[in-house]
Amino acid sequence: MASSSQELTAGEYIRHHLGHLQTGKQSAVVDFGVLNLDSAFWALTLGILGCWLLWLGARKATSGVPGRFQAAVEILVEMVDSQAKGIVHSAESRRLVAPLALTVFVWIFLMNAMDLLPVDLFPYIWDHMGLHAVFGAKDYMRVVPTADLSVTMGLSVSVLLICLYYNVKIKGAGGWFHELLSAPFGAKWYLAPFNFLMQIIEFVAKTVSHGMRLFGNMYAGELIFFLIALMGGAFAFNATGIFLAIGHVVAGMAWAIFHILIITLQAFVFMMLTLVYVGQAHDAH
């Protein structure tokens, strides 16, 4: 939300809301030394909230008739556990992988759900509390961490590191290195460079697509909410303005209801791919 003295065009409004509160100067050039403070803050806050909710469900668990919250948590835990059993066949590995998958699902769902909040709510609060003066001249504040590529790629790289860990743990360093040189074309010395290249491409492709899929869906959903918000900003006491205002309410409600499915599905897909990739690390070629 820009200051009240500044009028923004539709394009400027969208570009403004796509900006991040950063440690450095806003720039169109990718800078790996810049930290998106808003994404980091909301991701950390929602991660703590998700862990607290799961802890609360475990703390209040009873052997009697469960309440609605306990029943919801139990259904969620059973769903994730059944998926983990079907993909990761090592009971020892599931002791870590199943809770990890549950954490991933809840965390990403909460981060995705921030997209359901009014797009100008937190930027408005941020601007009118004067906090932009503390962090810089700009009043940027994005609240959907999964619409930030650095967050989704960070998650996917974390999954890659876990897969590499299990590759070494299950197969041994020598066994995994042999697999890198012998699959998928066969254990022939002259095929080793091609096998190694294909393995590296596979790891990179899985990691990039894992993060980009979540980012692309949430980024597109955020843009649609911005466009719907522009319809409401065009309100005026005339036929066109009233029509746009009504369209803003109807379209906003319809997209929010549909978006509930999207944020849940994207959290589920990311969790399932995490399980699949970890499960593949247990399989020998």
Side-chain angles (χ1 to χ4, degrees):
M1 171 71 71
S3 60
S4 57
S5 61
Q6 182 181 10
E7 295 293 335
L8 298 179
T9 65
E12 291 171 339
Y13 172 84
I14 293 177
R15 284 195 299 271
H16 179 80
H17 278 279
L18 291 177
H20 285 281
L21 176 66
Q22 296 179 325
T23 54
K25 183 179 179 182
Q26 288 281 333
S27 173
V29 179
V30 176
D31 186 351
F32 291 98
V34 172
L35 173 65
N36 293 337
L37 295 173
D38 44 11
S39 296
F41 170 78
W42 289 110
L44 179 62
T45 300
L46 294 169
I48 294 173
L49 175 61
C51 291
W52 178 76
L53 289 174
L54 294 175
W55 172 83
L56 189 63
R59 178 173 172 268
K60 293 187 175 182
T62 175
S63 58
V65 179
R68 285 177 290 183
F69 179 69
Q70 179 182 337
V73 173
E74 288 179 353
I75 292 172
L76 178 61
V77 171
E78 290 176 3
M79 181 271 292
V80 174
D81 188 59
S82 64
Q83 296 295 335
K85 287 180 179 178
I87 298 174
V88 181
H89 303 298
S90 170
E92 180 183 355
S93 296
R94 286 200 304 271
R95 295 176 60 184
L96 172 64
V97 174
L100 171 66
L102 177 64
T103 303
V104 165
F105 177 82
V106 173
W107 191 17
I108 293 180
F109 175 82
L110 291 175
M111 290 193 288
N112 291 350
M114 295 296 288
D115 213 7
L116 298 175
L117 296 174
V119 297
D120 286 308
L121 176 61
F122 282 101
Y124 179 87
I125 295 173
W126 182 262
D127 187 25
H128 286 74
M129 287 181 66
L131 294 176
H132 61 279
V134 177
F135 293 94
K138 300 294 184 181
D139 52 345
Y140 299 105
M141 173 53 67
R142 292 183 71 181
V143 300
V144 187
T146 45
D148 181 358
L149 184 59
S150 62
V151 172
T152 60
M153 288 305 299
L155 291 170
S156 64
V157 169
S158 299
V159 173
L160 171 65
L161 295 177
I162 294 172
C163 292
L164 297 180
Y165 165 77
Y166 275 109
N167 269 298
V168 175
K169 179 181 179 182
I170 301 298
K171 305 166 188 174
W176 182 49
F177 184 72
H178 178 266
E179 182 179 282
L180 289 176
L181 300 179
S182 60
F185 299 124
K188 304 293 184 180
W189 66 268
Y190 53 84
L191 294 175
F194 302 100
N195 289 326
F196 182 76
L197 179 62
M198 290 300 296
Q199 289 279 353
I200 297 301
I201 291 175
E202 180 182 354
F203 280 120
V204 172
K206 289 193 296 187
T207 302
V208 172
S209 63
H210 200 191
M212 288 293 293
R213 180 182 290 104
L214 177 60
F215 162 74
N217 281 278
M218 297 312 302
Y219 186 83
E222 191 178 35
L223 284 178
I224 293 177
F225 275 120
F226 292 156
L227 294 175
I228 293 173
L230 286 172
M231 295 173 64
F235 172 76
F237 288 103
N238 53 50
T240 302
I242 294 174
F243 175 78
L244 288 174
I246 295 174
H248 163 77
V249 175
V250 174
M253 291 180 61
W255 180 245
I257 293 172
F258 179 70
H259 208 55
I260 294 173
L261 174 63
I262 294 177
I263 64 178
T264 306
L265 181 61
Q266 290 306 312
F268 180 78
V269 168
F270 196 95
M271 178 202 74
M272 288 299 297
L273 288 176
T274 299
L275 289 174
V276 169
Y277 294 158
V278 173
Q280 288 177 346
H282 287 70
D283 300 331
H285 289 280

